Amino acid sequence: IKVIERLLQKYNFAGLSYDELTPVDKYMHIKLQKFIAEIKNDYDNFDFGEVYRATNAYISNTLSAFYLDFTKDILYIHDAASVERRSIQTVFFECLKAITTMLTPILPHTMEEVYSYMPGERLESIYLCGTTKSHRGTKDKDLIILVKKNPVGIQLCVAKKDVPSQK
C-alpha cells in the first residue's frame, strides 16, 4: 500500500475514464472490480478469514507480482502528463481507495492512517467514505473474452501495449 501511495505522487486527479485506459490498465480495472465484488460477498457472509485471504492474494499476486512489477518503471520514465502514466495512476488510485475502504472494518486504525496520507481531497475520516462498490459490467467485453480464452493474452497486451485480435 505504501508503494502505491508513493507512486501516486504528482497524480493528476482528473484521472482518465475507463475508455481512455490502456488495455493492460483496463484488465487491472476489471480484476479490481472482481476483487471488490468478492470482498463484498465475503463481508455479507461474515467470512472475515476469506476477506483476509482474498486481499492477501490480490495484493501479493495481482498487484505486487504482476502489475507493480512493470508499471513502476513506466511511472519513473514517463512524463507526469503522459497518457501511459496517468492511466496507471488512475488504476493505482482506484486500487488504493478500494483496498483502504474495504479493509477498514478489520484494520480500522491502520486504514485511517493510510487514508490520511492518500493524495487528493479527502473527507475528515475514512469512516465517512462508506465502502467501495463494484462497477458491474464493463464496456470492454472483448478484453474479458480474450483474457478468459487466453490468459497469456494479457502478457501480449503488456508487451505490445495493445489488445491482440482474436482468431
Side-chain angles (χ1 to χ4, degrees):
I1 293 175
K2 188 174 186 172
V3 171
I4 293 174
E5 280 186 331
R6 297 298 282 164
L7 293 173
L8 284 172
Q9 290 179 343
K10 299 179 183 175
Y11 173 58
N12 176 350
F13 287 93
L16 296 178
S17 69
Y18 178 82
D19 293 330
E20 295 173 297
L21 297 176
T22 64
V24 73
D25 297 324
K26 286 181 180 180
Y27 170 76
M28 288 305 297
H29 187 271
I30 292 166
K31 294 287 280 186
L32 174 64
Q33 299 313 308
K34 289 175 74 176
F35 170 68
I36 292 169
E38 180 182 352
I39 295 298
K40 182 176 180 342
N41 183 54
D42 293 338
Y43 273 125
D44 289 347
N45 293 317
F46 300 99
D47 194 351
F48 303 114
E50 192 59 27
V51 170
Y52 169 77
R53 189 214 53 79
T55 302
N56 188 38
Y58 179 76
I59 291 173
S60 298
N61 301 331
T62 306
L63 284 180
S64 184
F66 174 67
Y67 197 54
L68 279 166
D69 187 45
F70 69 90
T71 56
K72 63 182 183 236
D73 297 331
I74 295 169
L75 292 175
Y76 289 129
I77 294 169
H78 286 276
D79 182 55
S82 73
V83 173
E84 292 87 358
R85 181 183 177 104
R86 291 178 55 217
S87 180
I88 292 166
Q89 286 182 316
T90 299
V91 173
F92 275 156
F93 185 74
E94 292 300 317
C95 287
L96 182 61
K97 186 170 64 173
I99 291 168
T100 312
T101 58
M102 290 187 313
L103 289 182
T104 297
I106 56 177
L107 293 169
H109 301 293
T110 305
M111 292 304 109
E112 182 69 35
E113 184 176 353
V114 169
Y115 185 72
S116 72
Y117 290 108
M118 282 180 64
E121 292 184 25
R122 295 181 304 276
L123 298 174
E124 186 177 337
S125 172
I126 193 165
Y127 304 110
L128 301 174
C129 294
T131 58
T132 302
K133 293 186 177 30
S134 173
H135 305 295
R136 283 293 187 196
T138 180
K139 301 173 189 173
D140 208 336
K141 301 289 184 206
D142 293 337
L143 183 61
I144 295 171
I145 291 167
L146 170 72
V147 172
K148 282 185 179 176
K149 285 185 178 178
N150 180 12
V152 180
I154 197 61
Q155 294 172 346
L156 295 173
C157 291
V158 173
K160 295 180 180 182
K161 295 192 183 222
D162 198 4
V163 177
S165 61
Q166 290 191 33
K167 295 181 180 167

